[in-house]
Amino acid sequence: MTAALLDPLSLPNFAEITPEAILPALDIAIAEHEAVVAMLTATRSAGFAEAWLPFERADNALDALWSAVSHLHGVADTPELRAAHAEGQKRLVENSMKVEQNRDLYDVFVALSVSPEFADLAVADRVAVEHAIRDFTLSGVALDEDQRARFKEISIELSGLSTAFGSAVLDATEAWDEIVTDETALAGISDADKAMFREAAKAKGAEGWRITLQQPSVGAILTFAHDRDLRARVYHANATRASDQGPNAGTFDNSGRIARILELRHEAAALLGFADPVARSLATKMAPNAGEVLAFLRDLARRAKPAAERDLAELTAFAAESLGIADLQPWDVAFASNRLRQERYAIDEQAVRAYFPVDRVMEGWQALLTRLFGIRLVERHDVALAHPDARFFDVIDEGGVVVSGLYLDLHARPGKRGGAWMAQARPRLNDCNAVRVPVAYLVCNFAPKPADGAEGAAPALLSHDDVTTLLHETGHGLHHLFTRVNRPSIAGTSGFEWDAVELPSQLMEDFAWDRGVLTGMSGHYKTGERLPADLFDRLVNARRFQAGLFIVRQVEFALFDLLLHLGTMGSDPMEVIEAVRDEVAVIRPPAWNRFPHAFGHIFSGGYAAGYYSYLWAELLAADGFMAFVEAGLVDRATGDRFRDEVLARGATRPAADSFRAFRGRDPDPAAMLRRHGLAEVEG
């Protein structure tokens, strides 16, 4: 069993990844990694094949094991698996810090970088070594012994805190539910969502309908439920997860973890000579400094806030006049917005979802990938899966060659982390006799699949937002799957500037607004009828509905992240977010709202001091998509050029250079403003 877990070339057998097997296998992999490092520092070769490739192979072996464990932890968690993952993560960070603070190994790579051979190496080989040297520096290799030891301690503690933060959010999410026994309390909820609630109740051995804090459940209640008190209860429970407030106040509280994470990030930055964690974060990103990012965000807020204020005024008036809600509250916003959108554009969100059963969406999704990039997805049934909901596909080119592989896991369920993400399962390899295509995990949290044999249950229905989310994660997936870079540390999304990494994902989102694409992904779950032309037109007309509110909300999150990590407004997250809201927000949550306590992007994900990246990358994505528009939209030649110049290149050159190679010029910021209908606010 351990031998199978340690095979970096085969796909993972998830049945073998038991809590009992994880740590013994990891210890072997770490010991083998240590042996490689010892060999390299003893021989001190300056040749690429002798100095770099053994190190890369050892890294890949560790990554292959841990990516499978982390995936299982994310999609099918158990208390035992969580404990093994947390301990394993600690051991991995300890090993990583030991390696990246090893001055002898650092000297080996520096010697390689200045050797006569180096200039003649392939670009990818050179960049991989240069990135490693940079990362060694950012891990404290140049510090004195005491400082290196302290930096290592900080890194290990931060890793544990990050894991604990995410676990607390998951625990808090699963700790709350409400059983509804009177169906009249679910007025406004679709039959499909009520079936979801009934299945959730049955899973707990309860009668009636069970509402949870899984995102499809929260979204259904806040958007459609007529019962205002029910909306308020769900909002309150969701907005106070993992905090000192709410129905489980203090039980899973992340307050202490947030404070400690911030303290340690500041200390780590100072040890490396940075003024703050933001400066350290930007050392590997496109943005030059915090001042430029702040100016960018505040300029966006200036342009968007007048529109947001108009949006809110219209919504408030509509809620009072048409819904009898005289005091619009945050738990009313999604409900009132849906009703206003329905009245203004004749769009019934429930009716829209009926046209997007998940299987039909997947058929149209695959057809789009074929038209854009000439690939086919062929399902395999001989590949082990982390959960029965998941599927595996070979990605095959026009010549019949398997170029990559894709795990797909679309549905929400207990034990699965919320949100949507793409992660690397296996990198592309072309190293002597080891050749392997890249493989990705693509994970979403759409409405749960009906239970087998569930009487009268509708299939899982997706909203248009869900379709957009699928395309977003597809962009990330293609970035990994289409790489032609043979150095895993800089292939696909690895090593790519984090504030540009959303370029492919946000560009792919815009295909959700094309008539042919969206119609091709539709088929009414009862009749099979395609999305009607008039309903598509209404969706497009409503695209920029409340765009101002959307932008200021994103700016609010990004400013909060940046200012909290700068420390110029203090370290209390609630004080900082209230100050940010004073500056940019138009909708004020109640004082008991604890948004920061479940903000996993910056406390347990990769967006610390970098949440602005979503908006920064949108500058690139909005203008990049215009290349498709100018060519007729679903254009194979443009798709191939995007694949060749951006997706296939990884981090072998700066993201700005890849964008220029694709577009033929620097990005036009006006494209982003036009995307949101804000260009007219300029000036």
Side-chain angles (χ1 to χ4, degrees):
M1 184 177 293
T2 298
L5 288 175
L6 292 170
D7 179 3
L9 297 179
S10 300
L11 294 174
N13 186 340
F14 291 102
E16 296 178 343
I17 305 176
T18 63
E20 298 77 18
I22 289 170
L23 295 178
L26 181 62
D27 285 344
I28 292 172
I30 289 175
E32 292 175 349
H33 195 279
E34 290 175 334
V36 169
V37 170
M39 179 271 292
L40 294 175
T41 55
T43 58
R44 290 185 173 271
S45 170
F48 183 81
E50 298 78 19
W52 178 261
L53 290 182
F55 179 73
E56 181 177 86
R57 293 181 197 120
D59 267 358
N60 289 339
L62 270 179
D63 291 345
L65 168 61
W66 203 246
S67 69
V69 173
S70 296
H71 178 66
L72 197 61
H73 170 58
V75 302
D77 198 26
T78 65
E80 297 78 13
L81 179 60
R82 179 183 299 178
H85 179 271
E87 176 58 28
Q89 188 69 37
K90 178 183 176 183
R91 296 182 194 183
L92 271 176
V93 173
E94 289 174 344
N95 179 69
S96 176
M97 294 309 304
K98 185 188 302 183
V99 169
E100 294 192 349
Q101 291 187 346
N102 186 320
R103 289 190 178 180
D104 290 336
L105 184 61
Y106 172 76
D107 289 342
V108 168
F109 294 150
V110 170
L112 170 59
S113 72
V114 298
S115 67
E117 170 198 7
F118 194 72
D120 296 326
L121 292 175
V123 171
D125 297 348
R126 296 199 307 272
V127 173
V129 174
E130 290 163 354
H131 274 225
I133 292 171
R134 179 199 67 187
D135 293 343
F136 271 60
T137 303
L138 292 176
S139 294
V141 72
L143 300 176
D144 64 37
E145 186 174 350
D146 289 344
Q147 290 176 321
R148 282 204 312 276
R150 177 58 188 149
F151 191 90
K152 179 180 177 181
E153 290 173 358
I154 291 170
S155 300
I156 293 169
E157 186 176 354
L158 278 171
S159 175
L161 287 165
S162 174
T163 299
F165 183 99
S167 295
V169 174
L170 180 59
D171 286 340
T173 299
E174 298 194 346
W176 185 92
D177 63 10
E178 180 171 323
I179 303 295
V180 175
T181 55
D182 180 2
E183 190 171 3
T184 61
L186 298 178
I189 302 297
S190 71
D191 289 342
D193 284 334
K194 283 191 283 189
M196 173 178 70
F197 296 151
R198 187 176 286 281
E199 289 299 319
K202 286 181 180 178
K204 285 289 187 178
E207 295 294 326
W209 298 265
R210 178 170 170 255
I211 298 163
T212 71
L213 294 183
Q214 289 185 0
Q215 207 50 49
S217 180
V218 173
I221 295 299
L222 294 184
T223 307
F224 304 116
H226 293 178
D227 187 332
R228 193 184 189 199
D229 290 338
L230 176 60
R231 295 199 305 270
R233 292 194 299 275
V234 170
Y235 176 92
H236 183 246
N238 191 59
T240 55
R241 286 179 299 160
S243 78
D244 60 335
Q245 299 289 316
N248 289 300
T251 307
F252 311 105
D253 191 2
N254 270 329
S255 299
R257 296 183 188 97
I258 292 173
R260 185 61 175 160
I261 286 170
L262 291 171
E263 179 184 358
L264 292 174
R265 285 175 178 171
H266 275 275
E267 185 180 353
L271 281 171
L272 294 177
F274 292 106
D276 47 60
V278 176
R280 183 189 178 197
S281 170
L282 295 182
T284 58
K285 294 181 172 66
M286 285 181 69
N289 54 64
E292 187 157 330
V293 178
L294 287 170
F296 163 70
L297 293 173
R298 285 174 166 142
D299 181 60
L300 266 183
R302 178 183 65 82
R303 297 173 190 274
K305 193 169 183 179
E309 290 169 339
R310 290 194 299 272
D311 290 342
L312 182 59
E314 291 173 353
L315 187 65
T316 302
F318 172 79
E321 295 165 8
S322 300
L323 303 177
I325 301 175
D327 57 331
L328 187 73
Q329 297 293 331
W331 49 88
D332 301 317
V333 169
F335 175 74
S337 294
N338 179 60
R339 294 289 290 271
L340 175 58
R341 184 170 175 258
Q342 184 175 338
E343 178 174 291
R344 181 174 293 175
Y345 302 103
I347 293 175
D348 180 349
E349 185 60 36
Q350 305 282 24
V352 172
R353 292 169 66 196
Y355 285 96
F356 295 106
V358 64
D359 288 346
R360 188 67 200 90
V361 170
M362 298 311 300
E363 291 174 13
W365 173 72
Q366 293 189 47
L368 173 65
L369 296 180
T370 299
R371 292 173 63 198
L372 274 178
F373 303 110
I375 58 171
R376 293 181 297 116
L377 272 64
V378 177
E379 187 166 9
R380 286 175 54 185
H381 300 282
D382 61 338
V383 174
L385 303 172
H387 189 275
D389 283 356
R391 304 166 73 184
F392 182 89
F393 298 86
D394 281 333
V395 182
I396 299 176
D397 69 12
E398 290 170 312
V401 177
V402 176
V403 296
S404 50
L406 179 65
Y407 291 92
L408 200 63
D409 186 348
L410 298 180
H411 302 282
R413 57 180 177 267
K416 184 178 182 182
R417 176 162 60 93
W421 67 92
M422 186 283 298
Q424 175 180 292
R426 294 289 187 267
R428 173 186 167 102
L429 277 186
N430 193 347
D431 171 16
C432 301
N433 294 323
V435 178
R436 187 183 60 208
V437 299
V439 182
Y441 300 115
L442 198 160
V443 184
C444 298
N445 268 275
F446 300 149
K449 294 170 66 176
D452 291 340
E455 188 175 344
L461 302 177
L462 308 191
S463 67
H464 184 259
D465 283 346
D466 289 336
V467 174
T468 304
T469 295
L470 174 65
L471 290 170
H472 178 101
E473 298 307 331
T474 298
H476 286 312
L478 295 175
H479 203 170
H480 178 65
L481 299 177
F482 283 167
T483 189
R484 297 193 187 114
V485 178
N486 292 326
R487 305 277 70 85
S489 61
I490 57 166
T493 59
S494 297
F496 203 74
E497 293 102 317
W498 204 248
D499 46 3
V501 80
E502 299 294 334
L503 162 59
S505 57
Q506 294 189 105
L507 184 150
M508 287 299 297
E509 283 184 29
D510 276 353
F511 285 102
W513 297 99
D514 173 61
R515 184 187 303 274
V517 170
L518 198 60
T519 301
M521 298 175 82
S522 71
H524 197 284
Y525 78 98
K526 290 182 178 179
T527 67
E529 177 192 4
R530 299 285 190 174
L531 184 73
D534 68 317
L535 184 49
F536 172 79
D537 291 339
R538 282 179 268 143
L539 280 170
V540 170
N541 291 337
R543 180 179 183 181
R544 295 184 178 90
F545 175 63
Q546 295 184 343
L549 285 174
F550 171 79
I551 289 292
V552 296
R553 188 166 182 263
Q554 286 296 101
V555 171
E556 177 186 319
F557 297 164
L559 275 177
F560 165 70
D561 167 44
L562 213 65
L563 292 171
L564 185 69
H565 283 97
L566 282 171
T568 54
M569 302 177 72
S571 59
D572 184 325
M574 294 312 302
E575 289 182 2
V576 174
I577 198 150
E578 288 300 332
V580 169
R581 287 169 178 159
D582 287 340
E583 180 179 353
V584 301
V586 298
I587 295 176
R588 294 300 288 258
W592 44 257
N593 181 289
R594 291 295 184 268
F595 164 76
H597 293 67
F599 196 7
H601 278 79
I602 69 169
F603 293 120
S604 61
Y607 284 87
Y611 192 85
Y612 77 90
S613 300
Y614 283 102
L615 292 167
W616 189 274
E618 193 177 353
L619 283 172
L620 307 175
D623 191 37
F625 185 73
M626 292 307 297
F628 287 91
V629 173
E630 292 160 7
L633 208 69
V634 186
D635 178 67
R636 175 64 189 278
T638 308
D640 285 345
R641 194 168 75 253
F642 184 57
R643 178 177 181 170
D644 292 343
E645 299 296 354
V646 178
L647 302 176
R649 300 276 183 159
T652 58
R653 63 185 179 192
D657 291 350
S658 290
F659 181 89
R660 278 190 289 268
F662 168 60
R663 200 69 175 99
R665 55 169 173 74
D666 288 331
D668 175 11
M672 180 183 177
L673 299 176
R674 289 192 296 270
R675 191 177 196 241
H676 293 285
L678 298 175
E680 70 276 10
V681 182
E682 190 171 2

